[in-house]
PDB file of all heavy atoms in Angstrom:
ATOM      1  N   LEU A 175      -6.756-144.020  57.283  1.00 98.00           N
ATOM      2  CA  LEU A 175      -7.970-143.912  56.463  1.00 98.00           C
ATOM      3  C   LEU A 175      -8.872-142.759  57.041  1.00 98.00           C
ATOM      4  O   LEU A 175      -9.580-142.061  56.150  1.00 98.00           O
ATOM      5  CB  LEU A 175      -8.799-145.147  56.437  1.00 98.00           C
ATOM      6  CG  LEU A 175      -8.075-146.359  55.830  1.00 98.00           C
ATOM      7  CD1 LEU A 175      -8.825-147.698  55.957  1.00 98.00           C
ATOM      8  CD2 LEU A 175      -7.738-146.087  54.404  1.00 98.00           C
ATOM      9  N   TRP A 176      -8.868-142.476  58.254  1.00 98.00           N
ATOM     10  CA  TRP A 176      -9.653-141.326  58.871  1.00 98.00           C
ATOM     11  C   TRP A 176      -9.109-139.979  58.275  1.00 98.00           C
ATOM     12  O   TRP A 176      -9.926-139.084  58.120  1.00 98.00           O
ATOM     13  CB  TRP A 176      -9.516-141.425  60.365  1.00 98.00           C
ATOM     14  CG  TRP A 176     -10.160-140.205  61.043  1.00 98.00           C
ATOM     15  CD1 TRP A 176     -11.451-139.842  61.280  1.00 98.00           C
ATOM     16  CD2 TRP A 176      -9.382-139.152  61.716  1.00 98.00           C
ATOM     17  NE1 TRP A 176     -11.586-138.659  61.952  1.00 98.00           N
ATOM     18  CE2 TRP A 176     -10.339-138.293  62.210  1.00 98.00           C
ATOM     19  CE3 TRP A 176      -8.031-138.970  61.875  1.00 98.00           C
ATOM     20  CZ2 TRP A 176      -9.915-137.131  62.955  1.00 98.00           C
ATOM     21  CZ3 TRP A 176      -7.620-137.779  62.687  1.00 98.00           C
ATOM     22  CH2 TRP A 176      -8.550-136.960  63.070  1.00 98.00           C
ATOM     23  N   ASN A 178      -8.271-139.477  55.439  1.00 98.00           N
ATOM     24  CA  ASN A 178      -8.721-139.227  54.052  1.00 98.00           C
ATOM     25  C   ASN A 178     -10.100-138.623  54.157  1.00 98.00           C
ATOM     26  O   ASN A 178     -11.033-139.010  54.906  1.00 98.00           O
ATOM     27  CB  ASN A 178      -8.839-140.568  53.417  1.00 98.00           C
ATOM     28  CG  ASN A 178      -9.234-140.591  51.954  1.00 98.00           C
ATOM     29  OD1 ASN A 178      -9.968-139.708  51.501  1.00 98.00           O
ATOM     30  ND2 ASN A 178      -8.702-141.489  51.132  1.00 98.00           N
ATOM     31  N   PRO A 179     -10.335-137.454  53.452  1.00 97.00           N
ATOM     32  CA  PRO A 179     -11.670-136.696  53.518  1.00 97.00           C
ATOM     33  C   PRO A 179     -12.835-137.640  53.095  1.00 97.00           C
ATOM     34  O   PRO A 179     -13.961-137.393  53.567  1.00 97.00           O
ATOM     35  CB  PRO A 179     -11.395-135.573  52.536  1.00 97.00           C
ATOM     36  CG  PRO A 179     -10.030-135.390  52.422  1.00 97.00           C
ATOM     37  CD  PRO A 179      -9.361-136.697  52.571  1.00 97.00           C
ATOM     38  N   LEU A 180     -12.528-138.738  52.324  1.00 97.00           N
ATOM     39  CA  LEU A 180     -13.618-139.649  52.009  1.00 97.00           C
ATOM     40  C   LEU A 180     -14.003-140.615  53.164  1.00 97.00           C
ATOM     41  O   LEU A 180     -15.032-141.230  52.965  1.00 97.00           O
ATOM     42  CB  LEU A 180     -13.308-140.297  50.655  1.00 97.00           C
ATOM     43  CG  LEU A 180     -12.939-139.508  49.418  1.00 97.00           C
ATOM     44  CD1 LEU A 180     -12.617-140.449  48.218  1.00 97.00           C
ATOM     45  CD2 LEU A 180     -14.179-138.641  49.022  1.00 97.00           C
ATOM     46  N   LYS A 181     -13.263-140.686  54.147  1.00 98.00           N
ATOM     47  CA  LYS A 181     -13.378-141.630  55.259  1.00 98.00           C
ATOM     48  C   LYS A 181     -13.640-143.015  54.800  1.00 98.00           C
ATOM     49  O   LYS A 181     -14.690-143.703  55.180  1.00 98.00           O
ATOM     50  CB  LYS A 181     -14.519-141.114  56.093  1.00 98.00           C
ATOM     51  CG  LYS A 181     -14.356-139.704  56.669  1.00 98.00           C
ATOM     52  CD  LYS A 181     -13.173-139.729  57.639  1.00 98.00           C
ATOM     53  CE  LYS A 181     -13.030-138.411  58.481  1.00 98.00           C
ATOM     54  NZ  LYS A 181     -12.520-137.353  57.685  1.00 98.00           N
ATOM     55  N   PRO A 182     -12.793-143.600  53.849  1.00 98.00           N
ATOM     56  CA  PRO A 182     -13.061-144.950  53.439  1.00 98.00           C
ATOM     57  C   PRO A 182     -12.929-146.045  54.480  1.00 98.00           C
ATOM     58  O   PRO A 182     -12.195-145.835  55.417  1.00 98.00           O
ATOM     59  CB  PRO A 182     -11.989-145.159  52.452  1.00 98.00           C
ATOM     60  CG  PRO A 182     -10.842-144.247  52.808  1.00 98.00           C
ATOM     61  CD  PRO A 182     -11.581-143.074  53.442  1.00 98.00           C
ATOM     62  N   ALA A 183     -13.678-147.100  54.379  1.00 98.00           N
ATOM     63  CA  ALA A 183     -13.650-148.146  55.388  1.00 98.00           C
ATOM     64  C   ALA A 183     -12.504-149.086  55.096  1.00 98.00           C
ATOM     65  O   ALA A 183     -12.126-149.382  53.921  1.00 98.00           O
ATOM     66  CB  ALA A 183     -14.978-148.981  55.305  1.00 98.00           C
ATOM     67  N   PHE A 292     -15.909-142.486  63.089  1.00 98.00           N
ATOM     68  CA  PHE A 292     -15.191-143.242  62.208  1.00 98.00           C
ATOM     69  C   PHE A 292     -14.784-144.578  62.894  1.00 98.00           C
ATOM     70  O   PHE A 292     -14.152-144.601  63.917  1.00 98.00           O
ATOM     71  CB  PHE A 292     -14.020-142.457  61.730  1.00 98.00           C
ATOM     72  CG  PHE A 292     -13.264-143.180  60.586  1.00 98.00           C
ATOM     73  CD1 PHE A 292     -13.818-143.360  59.348  1.00 98.00           C
ATOM     74  CD2 PHE A 292     -12.027-143.876  60.827  1.00 98.00           C
ATOM     75  CE1 PHE A 292     -13.149-144.039  58.284  1.00 98.00           C
ATOM     76  CE2 PHE A 292     -11.380-144.558  59.874  1.00 98.00           C
ATOM     77  CZ  PHE A 292     -12.013-144.582  58.570  1.00 98.00           C
TER      78      PHE A 292
END
Side-chain angles (χ1 to χ4, degrees):
L175 295 175
W176 171 74
N178 186 324
L180 300 179
K181 300 294 188 285
F292 184 72

